[in-house]
RNA sequence: GACCCUGUGGUGCAGAGGCCUAGCACAUCACCCUUUCAAGGUGGAGAUCGAGGGUUCGAAUCCCUCCAGGGUCGCCA
């Protein structure tokens, strides 16, 4: 018997849960389940500035929603934990020191400013970018002295010199990298935290990961990882790089061109099994070309080698068609249950009702008044359109302001509640040159389609980030098609 | 710019030298069904398999060159 297969998904909790994470998780999950192995969730939160606990929770929720449950992870524990990298700092530090002792890594005292200047120079001379290895030439005694004197430094990996390096990818076979490409990567930052490269390799080894299945964007750093395994004297796992999901223009999928948050798909009413099915179709196919299948069936027939490498365009139209197929063959009772679970929970209704109670006279009036709380996108009639654009402002100006509102304030906001939304909007009002009055009415109409609504921040809070973002974008599109100077 | 990956209709895939006068699905068009709209059914249009060279009796499938797209070049992951 060979070793049991162990795979992992290793997201970093720096934003909304991403479709790409689900995509890669799915293939890792499928391989592990197919072979009776284990699927592990590890949180890569070594970037202290950007990591956020709210993001971590959303990742858990989203993956569970999709049915991609893990056997070991920060919340369920396991034999080789902890599964959160921020709780493993000492492990990485010890391993980095070990490498330094072996002469496979070295302390580097170059300041960020010097590195920046170096990059500028290299760019100007059209040279390959990368660390020039200055501190590698330091004697061990000098390096040790400067370290004990408390001089700030990082630890860098010594990459082999004057050679090309051949690494292996399950799907691509041998891949040869030329030396100039491979500079001495930082392993340990000056704050004592590891970089992705170190933490990832150390953890994959310690957690006995057998197959590293990750996105293609990592392929370029594979030589560094392989070098790390060699420096430690460890066996390498099997590496497999999945193609990147793409926008319609074939660039790497991004939130400016596509909804990428799993929360969006959940709120928009896509069924988890349909999303999973669709994701599996991105770069993979059943041997018999069947396109509709369950996660279970995927697992039964799964074969990593059947992944195709062209970057698949994430075609929402086809996803929507698939989702419709699933919905149409569901019993009404089941649809009702899904509706309740996903979009129309008592919990949600009980958040909407307090906002509407004082504004309705009959039960029936609720449906007329509160429709926008349940809709996807809202229509803008002529009145709404004029209400959306403040006096003295133009449609294109309004569109621009909404765009920067999304980018500067909405997207980075991970904890979405009335208070946070309010301060974000007030903040934006100050920096944008739009008065609170102008901004708030514009946002109100853009998000609800109406000039009369419950208090704005409560409304945005209850609607949730995904819907607000989506309707704001829709408003931008609408404004852009209007003529100037209205 | 350097390095790496990829390249089958607009999109997602099948195809692993002859079964391909290139198949399926989405989208699109037409028709049928239907009080309507969907859904469903039927059919159509759409690809000289990125291009050019080879290898071979024979290439979408093997080799080379070029081109195009993408990714990476961070004390971010």
């Amino acid at each position: 018997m060979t070793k049991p297969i162990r795979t992992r998904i290793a997201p970093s909790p720096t934003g909304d849960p991403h479709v790409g994470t689900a995509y890669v998780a799915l293939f890792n999950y499928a391989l592990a389940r197919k072979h009776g192995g284990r699927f592990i969730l590890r949180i890569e939160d070594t970037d202290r500035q950007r990591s956020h606990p709210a993001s971590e929770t959303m990742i858990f929720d989203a993956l569970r929603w999709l049915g991609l449950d893990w056997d070991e992870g920060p919340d369920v524990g396991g034999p080789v934990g902890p599964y959160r990298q921020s709780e493993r700092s000492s492990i990485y530090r010890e391993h980095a020191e070990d490498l330094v002792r072996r002469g496979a890594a070295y302390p580097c005292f170059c300041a960020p400013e010097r590195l920046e200047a170096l990059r500028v120079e290299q760019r100007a001379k059209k040279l390959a970018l990368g660390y020039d290895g200055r501190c590698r030439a330091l004697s061990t005694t000098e390096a040790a002295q400067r370290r004990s004197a408390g001089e700030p430094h990082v630890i860098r990996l010594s990459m082999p010199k004057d050679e090309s390096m051949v690494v292996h990818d399950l799907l691509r076979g041998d891949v040869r990298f030329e030396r100039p490409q491979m500079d001495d990567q930082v392993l340990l930052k000056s704050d004592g935290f590891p970089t992705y490269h170190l933490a990832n390799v150390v953890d994959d080894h310690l957690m006995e990961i057998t197959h590293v299945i990750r996105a293609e964007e990592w392929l370029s750093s594979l030589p560094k990882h392989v070098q790390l395994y060699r420096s430690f004297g460890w066996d390498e796992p099997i590496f497999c790089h999945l193609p990147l999901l793409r926008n319609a223009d074939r660039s790497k999928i991004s939130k400016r061109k596509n909804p990428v948050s799993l929360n969006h798909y959940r709120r928009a009413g896509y069924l988890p099994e349909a999303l999973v099915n669709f994701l599996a179709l991105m770069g993979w196919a059943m041997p018999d070309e069947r396109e509709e299948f369950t996660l279970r069936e995927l697992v039964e027939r799964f074969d990593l080698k059947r992944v195709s490498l062209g970057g698949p365009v994430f075609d929402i139209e086809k996803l929507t068609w698939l989702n419709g197929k699933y919905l149409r063959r569901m019993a009404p009772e089941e649809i009702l249950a899904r509706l309740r679970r996903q979009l129309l929970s008592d919990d949600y209704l009980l958040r909407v009702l307090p906002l509407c109670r004082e504004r309705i006279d009959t039960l029936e009036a609720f449906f007329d008044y509160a429709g926008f709380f349940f809709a996807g996108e809202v229509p803008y009639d002529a009145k709404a359109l004029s209400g959306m654009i403040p006096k003295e402002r133009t449609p294109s100006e309004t569109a621009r302001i909404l765009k920067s509102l999304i980018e500067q304030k909405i997207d980075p906001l991970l904890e979405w509640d009335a208070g946070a939304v309010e301060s974000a909007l007030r903040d934006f009002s100050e920096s944008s040159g739009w008065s609170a009055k102008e901004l708030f009415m514009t946002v109100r109409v853009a998000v609800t389609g109406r000039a009369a609504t419950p208090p704005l921040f409560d409304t945005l809070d209850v609607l949730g980030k995904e819907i607000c973002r989506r309707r704001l974008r829709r408003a931008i599109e609408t404004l852009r098609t209007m003529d100037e100077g209205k």
Side-chain angles (χ1 to χ4, degrees):
Chain A
M1 264 315 260
T2 47
K3 279 194 301 183
I5 285 184
R6 291 171 62 84
T7 64
R8 64 9 177 220
I9 179 72
S12 105
T14 52
D16 294 310
H18 200 276
V19 273
T21 302
Y23 177 60
V24 176
L26 175 61
F27 286 79
N28 276 282
Y29 174 95
L31 185 75
R33 289 281 178 273
K34 157 91 182 184
H35 298 282
R38 282 163 82 85
F39 173 56
I40 290 137
L41 173 65
R42 182 174 72 221
I43 292 294
E44 309 229 328
D45 55 350
T46 54
D47 184 336
R48 291 188 297 171
Q49 267 82 48
R50 297 206 292 170
S51 293
H52 201 292
S55 174
E56 184 181 299
T57 308
M58 289 193 288
I59 291 168
F60 293 170
D61 287 350
L63 292 178
R64 284 219 170 86
W65 172 62
L66 290 171
L68 303 174
D69 50 293
W70 47 97
D71 305 300
E72 300 170 26
D75 56 339
V76 297
V80 291
Y83 293 88
R84 201 177 276 118
Q85 292 187 327
S86 59
E87 296 166 13
R88 300 170 64 82
S89 297
S90 60
I91 298 175
Y92 309 121
R93 249 182 314 247
E94 283 160 23
H95 281 85
E97 286 312 323
D98 182 37
L99 250 23
V100 172
R101 275 193 299 275
R102 292 157 179 259
Y106 59 92
C108 168
F109 303 91
C110 294
E113 297 74 44
R114 170 170 130 74
L115 300 177
E116 183 50 37
L118 184 65
R119 267 192 291 273
V120 169
E121 187 188 331
Q122 286 167 335
R123 216 182 300 269
K125 290 185 180 167
K126 295 187 190 262
L127 296 168
L129 269 37
Y131 183 59
D132 61 358
R134 177 196 270 200
C135 291
R136 187 166 170 170
L138 260 31
S139 72
T140 35
T141 46
E142 183 185 346
Q145 265 168 20
R146 290 171 70 173
R147 288 185 83 181
S148 52
E151 194 173 329
H153 63 279
V154 301
I155 302 293
R156 279 183 191 274
L157 175 66
S158 300
M159 287 298 286
K161 284 181 165 169
D162 303 316
E163 295 173 19
S164 62
M165 190 168 178
V166 176
V167 296
H168 195 81
D169 176 273
L170 181 74
L171 297 168
R172 288 159 248 260
D174 286 339
V175 181
R176 171 183 300 272
F177 286 83
E178 299 303 326
R179 155 74 198 171
Q181 163 71 195
M182 306 183 290
D183 66 336
D184 292 350
Q185 182 59 44
V186 172
L187 298 179
L188 209 62
K189 310 177 215 175
S190 54
D191 65 4
F193 272 68
T195 58
Y196 169 85
H197 306 287
L198 208 221
N200 182 266
V201 166
V202 168
D203 284 347
D204 282 344
H205 176 256
L206 261 24
M207 295 181 179
E208 297 170 47
I209 301 303
T210 56
H211 297 249
V212 172
I213 305 166
R214 67 222 311 187
E216 185 177 356
E217 54 191 332
W218 294 110
L219 188 57
S220 322
S221 39
L222 184 53
K224 293 164 186 168
H225 302 161
V226 168
Q227 178 58 29
L228 232 21
Y229 281 95
R230 291 180 186 168
S231 299
F232 281 120
W234 295 338
D235 288 337
E236 293 164 32
I238 290 165
F239 293 101
C240 175
H241 294 84
L242 263 20
L244 255 20
L245 261 21
R246 310 287 185 90
N247 297 312
D249 64 4
R250 299 211 166 268
S251 54
K252 171 163 106 169
I253 197 166
S254 65
K255 63 180 158 204
R256 280 159 305 282
K257 296 172 182 171
N258 246 315
V260 294
S261 169
L262 292 168
N263 293 339
H264 166 267
Y265 293 93
R266 172 138 65 158
R267 166 60 231 240
Y270 288 91
L271 301 167
E273 58 268 54
L275 218 204
V276 161
N277 188 160
F278 178 70
L279 249 15
L281 258 18
M282 303 272 88
W284 197 82
M286 281 283 182
D288 62 0
E289 283 191 68
R290 188 158 56 106
E291 289 201 297
E292 292 164 52
F293 47 81
T294 63
L295 181 56
R296 233 191 130 73
E297 291 167 326
L298 170 70
V299 167
E300 273 168 29
R301 301 289 190 75
F302 190 69
D303 178 1
L304 236 200
K305 290 231 167 105
R306 284 186 66 84
V307 171
S308 62
L309 296 175
V313 171
F314 192 87
D315 181 3
I316 292 176
E317 237 174 330
K318 185 158 181 175
L319 165 62
T320 304
W321 163 80
L322 226 205
N323 200 67
K325 280 287 241 195
Y326 274 82
L327 216 45
R328 266 172 245 125
R329 61 169 170 247
M330 248 177 212
E333 291 79 5
E334 178 63 13
I335 298 178
L336 176 61
R338 299 304 191 102
L339 209 49
R340 286 241 169 94
R341 201 185 313 163
Q342 210 166 317
L343 296 178
L344 208 57
S345 64
D346 285 357
D347 180 64
Y348 184 66
L349 285 164
L350 284 172
R351 296 183 69 202
V352 172
L353 284 165
L355 297 178
C356 302
R357 184 172 44 175
E358 295 158 76
R359 297 170 172 84
I360 58 174
D361 305 314
T362 59
L363 292 175
E364 182 187 61
F366 173 75
F367 297 101
D368 181 46
Y369 184 77
F372 68 83
F373 276 110
F374 305 94
E377 285 170 3
V378 289
Y380 304 120
D381 58 20
K383 211 174 105 196
L385 247 24
S386 67
M388 204 188 302
I389 306 157
K391 290 187 174 48
E392 317 292 311
R393 305 284 189 186
T394 65
S396 64
E397 191 182 359
T398 307
R400 239 178 296 124
I401 213 78
L402 290 181
K403 181 164 184 280
S404 44
L405 173 67
I406 291 176
E407 285 168 4
Q408 293 170 29
K409 295 296 174 186
I410 308 283
D411 281 343
L413 233 202
L414 290 181
E415 280 177 272
W416 188 265
D417 57 58
V421 172
E422 173 164 7
S423 50
L425 286 188
R426 290 199 186 281
D427 232 51
F428 184 76
S429 158
E430 274 179 35
S431 65
S432 65
W434 275 45
S435 71
K437 189 178 171 179
E438 289 175 312
L439 181 67
F440 294 175
M441 185 51 81
T442 296
V443 170
R444 182 193 309 281
V445 177
V447 171
T448 66
R450 300 168 168 244
T453 71
L456 183 60
F457 308 120
D458 294 324
T459 301
L460 299 181
D461 178 2
V462 170
L463 278 169
K465 177 173 171 177
E466 296 309 327
I467 275 295
C468 292
R469 187 181 194 280
R470 180 163 148 211
R471 311 221 284 218
L472 248 13
R473 286 189 57 113
R474 169 80 199 301
I476 292 169
E477 293 306 311
T478 308
L479 289 164
R480 279 184 178 155
T481 62
M482 294 173 66
D483 290 327
E484 275 287 347
K486 177 155 185 253

